[in-house]
Amino acid sequence: MFSWGIWALIIAIIAGILGFTGIAGTAAFFAQIVFGIGLVLFIVSLFVGRKVLK
């Protein structure tokens, strides 16, 4: 899931350099959403994994 966010960030940077501001903004927003979801799932899996191991 983090790789999706990284690819969207790369697309946003390239689009921003080339002047496609609408595409860059959309890709950056998508990257933020995917990164946030991945981070929440990672934190949840840390707590759930600790409970299962005990």
Side-chain angles (χ1 to χ4, degrees):
M1 184 160 256
F2 284 117
S3 64
W4 292 358
I6 291 172
W7 278 111
L9 181 62
I10 290 171
I11 292 170
I13 290 171
I14 292 171
I17 289 171
L18 296 176
F20 300 116
T21 55
I23 296 171
T26 303
F29 179 71
F30 178 71
Q32 288 177 345
I33 296 296
V34 170
F35 181 79
I37 292 171
L39 190 61
V40 168
L41 290 175
F42 173 71
I43 291 171
V44 167
S45 69
L46 281 177
F47 288 115
V48 171
R50 288 180 188 246
K51 291 180 182 177
V52 171
L53 292 176
K54 287 184 178 181

